[in-house]
Amino acid sequence: MYSRKRRRKRVRKFLVVMDDSPEFLNALRFAAIRASKTGGAVEILGIIGPEEFQHWLGVGEAMRAEARERIEAHFQVFSKWMKEKEGITPELVIREGEKATEVLGQIKDDPEVGILVLGANPSGEGPGPLVSQLVGSQGGVLPVPVTIVPGSMTKEAIIAVS
């Protein structure tokens, strides 16, 4: 006879990297709809790049604080939209460093992250630096699946496939 251990059901989080690109909005919309339909959650990762605080000490600290405030303000807008439209309350995580390194670090640090959702550049000049870096060089060793949402997808198309 064997015993079955009851496992606590883990919530699958969709990790989305926040930036100012239109493709981020597509990735966020996809993640919010999928999380809503599957009982998952959305974690939004804001990254303060090293170029934003490599200045004199006082100026660097002020720039870091401004970057954090900007990320938090953007998050509030997206959080409100997700709550109203999809019934999802996202989580915000802010990290400092190189984007690809911090994405991998967040996936490692949060075992509930189950899928990384990235938006691809709609211009046809390649998918974008983060997608290229993570999927190209790291794709075979990523600890979670990656969903790449084309930047050229319409809202309706995203809703249809989500």
Side-chain angles (χ1 to χ4, degrees), residues 31-87:
I33 294 169
R34 289 298 303 150
S36 177
K37 286 183 177 180
T38 63
V42 175
E43 185 171 270
I44 298 175
L45 177 60
I47 300 172
I48 301 171
E51 66 280 354
E52 294 191 52
F53 54 87
Q54 287 184 344
H55 297 279
W56 298 305
L57 187 59
V59 176
E61 289 301 320
M63 292 179 77
R64 180 182 283 126
E66 287 175 12
R68 184 171 287 277
E69 288 173 13
R70 186 175 60 249
I71 288 170
E72 290 170 352
H74 282 113
F75 173 76
Q76 291 305 318
V77 171
F78 300 125
S79 177
K80 182 180 178 194
W81 171 83
M82 290 174 73
K83 286 176 193 172
E84 290 174 359
K85 297 292 183 185
E86 300 301 332

